[in-house]
């Protein structure tokens, strides 16, 4: 009979003691790390615990401000609410100026100074996944219309029912479209870079050449053009309110007749 009682005691120790030893408290930290620990107490914003399997008796301390939730060994759970901890978010409105067009004329003769005005605006949605964007390019550095060589050299014109690359000289361009942020799914700021891509409708006015039978005689007319532009952009956050903007615009309709690199700054609010 005694042997049977001893056997029952061994079975109980074998089954239940290891369960108590290995059943720990799961602590989920705010940075995504999960701790398997033995919590001794939680008091005055401090969690006192021992690591799982630590037989040396060391005691560790953890601020509850770094903890999202705890699942205790008895199956109960607790969520820590941090009213004073607000995640850093990006701002939703951006106004910018493009250096390449506004201050640097890179087609034809190179010129640094005030050239064509290039302004942009973007409003980010509440979800942070999309943005409504608008841009204005206005010609404030008019080219001499009587100079054929100056008009033709490396610019974008509509000539003899055909398109030519580049887009200067022009009067104005207006662009409105939607951007998407494929790597950023919310307004929470996760780094200093935000990549976006999108499509826009553009409307503008350029100079058109109507050639006569005599090769040296022509008539310049201003015509309205429209199309669809695909764009990629990258914002580099120097500060919450200041960003460097890199981008490239290329028209898909008409195909690749509008190609414009963009380098500028944006201010957010």
């Amino acid at each position: 009979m005694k042997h049977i009682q001893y056997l029952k005691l061994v079975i109980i120790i074998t089954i239940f003691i290891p369960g108590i030893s290995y059943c720990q408290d799961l602590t989920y930290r705010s940075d995504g790390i999960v701790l398997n620990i033995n919590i001794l107490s939680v008091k005055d914003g401090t969690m006192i615990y021992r690591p799982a399997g630590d037989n040396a008796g060391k005691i560790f301390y953890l601020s509850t401000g770094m903890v999202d939730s705890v699942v205790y060994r008895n199956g109960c759970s607790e969520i820590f609410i941090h009213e004073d901890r607000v995640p850093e978010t990006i701002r939703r409105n951006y106004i910018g100026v493009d250096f390449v067009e506004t201050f640097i004329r890179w087609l034809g003769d190179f010129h640094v100074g005030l050239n064509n005005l290039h302004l942009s605006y973007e409003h980010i949605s509440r979800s942070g996944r999309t943005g409504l964007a608008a841009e204005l390019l206005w010609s404030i550095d008019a080219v001499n219309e009587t100079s054929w060589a100056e008009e033709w050299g490396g610019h974008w014109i509509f000539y003899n029912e055909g398109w030519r690359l580049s887009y200067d000289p022009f009067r104005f361009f207006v662009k409105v479209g939607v951007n998407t942020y494929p790597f950023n799914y919310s307004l929470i700021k996760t780094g200093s870079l935000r990549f976006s891509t999108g499509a826009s409708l553009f409307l503008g006015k350029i100079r058109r050449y109507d050639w006569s039978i005599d090769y040296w005689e022509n008539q310049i007319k201003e015509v309205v053009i429209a199309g669809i532009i695909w764009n990629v952009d990258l914002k580099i956050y120097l500060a919450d309110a200041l960003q460097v903007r890199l981008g490239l615009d290329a028209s898909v309709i008409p195909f690749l007749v509008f190609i414009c690199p963009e380098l500028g700054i944006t201010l957010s609010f």
Side-chain angles (χ1 to χ4, degrees):
M1 183 67 66
K2 290 184 178 180
H3 293 289
I4 297 176
Q5 292 177 351
Y6 284 131
L7 181 59
K8 290 181 179 180
L9 181 61
V10 170
I11 293 175
I12 291 174
I13 294 175
T14 304
I15 295 176
F16 291 99
I17 297 301
I20 296 175
S21 300
Y22 292 102
C23 186
Q24 312 294 336
D25 303 307
L26 295 179
T27 302
Y28 297 86
R29 290 185 5 178
S30 302
D31 55 4
I33 297 176
V34 181
L35 300 177
N36 190 4
I37 59 178
N38 288 323
I39 298 176
L40 302 179
S41 66
V42 179
K43 185 178 179 181
D44 297 330
T46 301
M47 180 180 293
I48 303 175
Y49 68 93
R50 289 194 181 112
D54 184 10
N55 298 321
K58 294 182 179 180
I59 295 178
F60 293 86
Y61 301 85
L62 178 65
S63 172
T64 56
M66 299 178 61
V67 178
D68 282 339
S69 62
V70 174
V71 178
Y72 295 101
R73 69 191 72 183
N74 59 5
C76 297
S77 61
E78 181 179 4
I79 298 176
F80 291 80
I81 300 175
H82 310 287
E83 296 180 355
D84 57 339
R85 191 183 69 191
V86 179
E88 186 178 3
T89 59
I90 65 165
R91 301 183 181 184
R92 297 177 58 200
N93 296 281
Y94 297 84
I95 55 174
V97 59
D98 186 12
F99 289 151
V100 175
E101 281 301 322
T102 306
F103 302 106
I104 301 175
R105 185 167 61 198
W106 61 288
L107 290 175
D109 59 328
F110 182 79
H111 177 260
V112 177
L114 192 61
N115 293 293
N116 299 315
L117 187 62
H118 187 167
L119 300 176
S120 64
Y121 171 75
E122 184 177 11
H123 177 74
I124 308 297
S125 65
R126 291 185 179 275
S127 67
R129 298 186 180 186
T130 59
L132 179 63
E135 293 187 27
L136 170 66
L137 284 78
W138 191 270
S139 178
I140 58 176
D141 184 19
V143 181
N144 182 9
E145 296 185 10
T146 61
S147 173
W148 178 85
E150 197 171 17
E151 292 281 358
W152 173 258
H155 299 304
W156 184 28
I157 60 174
F158 189 81
Y159 161 64
N160 197 22
E161 303 302 326
W163 294 92
R164 298 295 182 266
L165 288 176
S166 303
Y167 56 90
D168 191 14
F170 64 91
R171 290 303 184 191
F172 71 90
F173 281 107
V174 176
K175 187 177 75 170
V176 178
V178 176
N179 293 329
T180 61
Y181 290 83
F183 305 116
N184 304 94
Y185 302 107
S186 69
L187 293 175
I188 297 178
K189 188 176 181 181
T190 57
S192 59
L193 303 177
R194 283 183 68 86
F195 172 81
S196 65
T197 183
S200 305
L201 298 175
F202 78 92
L203 179 70
K205 181 178 287 189
I206 64 171
R207 299 189 183 99
R208 170 180 171 175
Y209 287 79
D210 289 335
W211 296 87
S212 64
I213 298 177
D214 188 343
Y215 180 80
W216 297 106
E217 293 183 4
N218 63 83
Q219 184 179 5
I220 301 174
K221 294 182 179 180
E222 290 189 350
V223 295
V224 175
I225 60 172
I228 299 176
I229 288 179
W230 168 72
N231 62 274
V232 292
D233 292 285
L234 178 67
K235 291 190 183 75
I236 304 174
Y237 282 73
L238 303 181
D240 288 342
L242 177 63
Q243 303 81 34
V244 173
R245 178 171 174 258
L246 304 174
L248 177 67
D249 290 352
S251 62
V252 291
I253 300 177
F255 184 66
L256 294 184
V257 299
F258 181 95
I259 302 176
C260 177
E262 295 180 330
L263 170 62
I265 61 171
T266 56
L267 301 176
S268 60
F269 58 95

